[in-house]
Amino acid sequence: MKTVFVLNGPNLNMLGKREPSIYGDQTLDDIAADCVKAGKDLGLTIDFRQSNHEGHLVDWIQEAGEAAAGVVINAGAYTHTSIAIHDAIRGVAPLPVVEVHLSNIHAREPFRHVSRIAPHAVGMICGFGPLGYTLALQALAARL
Ligand code: CA2
């Protein structure tokens, strides 16, 4: 079975505990369970991870280049700032990477309208809450 890394960046471990009006009341563990279930339906093994540290995300993207068939990534606020994550995704090309965000980043503050990941992602899903992860896995599976 093909393995997909589902990578999550800073503060996503706080989901369900704060700011439910923006991010909903599901926890990251709930989203991980959704991904494993979607993975089963799609014939994918899901390796679900979260870190608050930029370098961990870079290490995991490099690892995915060796060990995974694709990546779904919600890089949190690093989406908007991280050249290191941008370079890491470039460095594992042509590994397909799908960007996901819970909120509609384009309907929020202007600094969230920029994504350093989007130029090297096969696509981006935002604004659909936790469902976005399942949609991203479906999109990736269709491509693999
Ligand atoms: O909408 C998304 O998924 C984001 O990637 C979430 C990030 C934000 O910085 C991005 O612009 C969009 C924030 C991660 C969640 O932060 C929380 C903070 C406190 C409580 C709950 C979540």
Side-chain angles (χ1 to χ4, degrees):
M1 218 151 46
K2 289 177 175 159
T3 297
V4 170
F5 282 15
V6 181
L7 303 181
N8 295 277
N11 294 309
L12 287 159
N13 55 314
M14 299 298 288
L15 285 177
K17 297 170 190 154
R18 299 263 170 92
E19 301 205 68
S21 59
I22 302 176
Y23 298 115
D25 54 12
Q26 277 199 258
T27 66
L28 197 62
D29 283 348
D30 295 332
I31 294 175
D34 287 350
C35 287
V36 169
K37 185 176 179 305
K40 258 192 198 126
D41 295 342
L42 295 164
L44 301 171
T45 300
I46 304 301
D47 190 332
F48 192 97
R49 305 180 187 186
Q50 187 273 335
S51 177
N52 292 326
H53 303 279
E54 188 177 20
H56 288 165
L57 294 163
V58 170
D59 287 345
W60 291 341
I61 292 162
Q62 290 180 5
E63 186 185 334
E66 304 292 324
V71 172
V72 170
I73 186 166
N74 182 350
Y78 287 140
T79 301
H80 317 299
T81 61
S82 178
I83 307 297
I85 292 174
H86 168 106
D87 286 345
I89 292 173
R90 248 174 98 161
V92 294
L95 186 76
V97 174
V98 178
E99 178 178 358
V100 63
H101 297 285
L102 296 157
S103 62
N104 178 357
I105 57 174
H106 298 291
R108 300 184 64 192
E109 305 94 321
F111 66 83
R112 295 188 206 273
H113 299 181
V114 173
S115 169
R116 304 280 181 205
I117 291 169
H120 298 293
V122 295
M124 184 216 275
I125 293 165
C126 72
F128 296 102
L131 175 65
Y133 284 74
T134 297
L135 297 174
L137 287 168
Q138 288 173 348
L140 203 49
R143 199 183 167 95
L144 291 176

